[in-house]
Amino acid sequence: MLMEPEKHGNNILRGCMLATATAVNALVGSIGMQHYNYAAELLGIRLSTAVKGLVYQKILLLSKSSLSKFSAGHVIDLMSNDVQRMEAAPRCILTMDSAILQIVPSTFIIAYLIGWQALMGEIFLCLLL
């Protein structure tokens, strides 16, 4: 059994198929990640534009007496700093969502292929995050 000669033609074909599958997997993953980042960025831009529009609408609806309570610097600070943070929020939220969608199936795959011992390493890794 251990000393039997191997068929080299079958192993070479299998190796080429595995290399091709790995390359296709990397290509599809890269394209998917680019689309995912594009969608998150677009969502952030839409969110920041909507918030800026709400602030401008609120400024237009305020009376002169209530408008004098706010300085121009405060409004500019709202527009530049706070809205910019909201623009980056969808990227962070969608990344956490994606992480959950990757961790759960990988846990079952690792448990099936390796066994329960590998789950201890994965639990330790999740605790480090």
Side-chain angles (χ1 to χ4, degrees):
M1 184 185 275
L2 291 176
M3 301 301 283
E4 290 180 12
E6 297 181 14
K7 297 177 183 175
H8 293 292
N10 192 15
N11 287 339
I12 292 174
L13 178 65
R14 184 173 183 215
C16 290
M17 286 178 24
L18 287 174
T20 304
T22 303
V24 168
N25 185 24
L27 178 67
V28 169
S30 177
I31 291 171
M33 187 60 73
Q34 291 296 322
H35 178 69
Y36 185 79
N37 287 335
Y38 171 73
E41 195 71 31
L42 192 63
L43 182 64
I45 290 170
R46 287 180 180 170
L47 181 65
S48 70
T49 304
V51 171
K52 286 177 188 176
L54 287 173
V55 170
Y56 281 133
Q57 187 70 27
K58 182 67 176 179
I59 289 171
L60 291 175
L61 294 176
L62 288 175
S63 65
K64 287 208 178 230
S65 61
S66 60
L67 191 57
S68 64
K69 294 178 186 176
F70 298 105
S71 66
H74 179 68
V75 174
I76 292 173
D77 182 49
L78 281 175
M79 298 302 282
S80 62
N81 295 334
D82 297 340
V83 173
Q84 186 178 12
R85 284 188 213 130
M86 291 183 74
E87 189 174 331
R91 264 183 280 149
C92 297
I93 292 170
L94 291 177
T95 302
M96 287 186 296
D97 184 35
S98 173
I100 291 170
L101 291 176
Q102 291 176 6
I103 288 173
V104 171
S106 66
T107 302
F108 290 110
I109 292 171
I110 286 175
Y112 177 74
L113 293 176
I114 297 175
W116 66 270
Q117 298 88 352
L119 293 178
M120 293 301 145
E122 188 170 345
I123 290 171
F124 181 71
L125 254 162
C126 289
L127 290 176
L128 287 177
L129 293 178

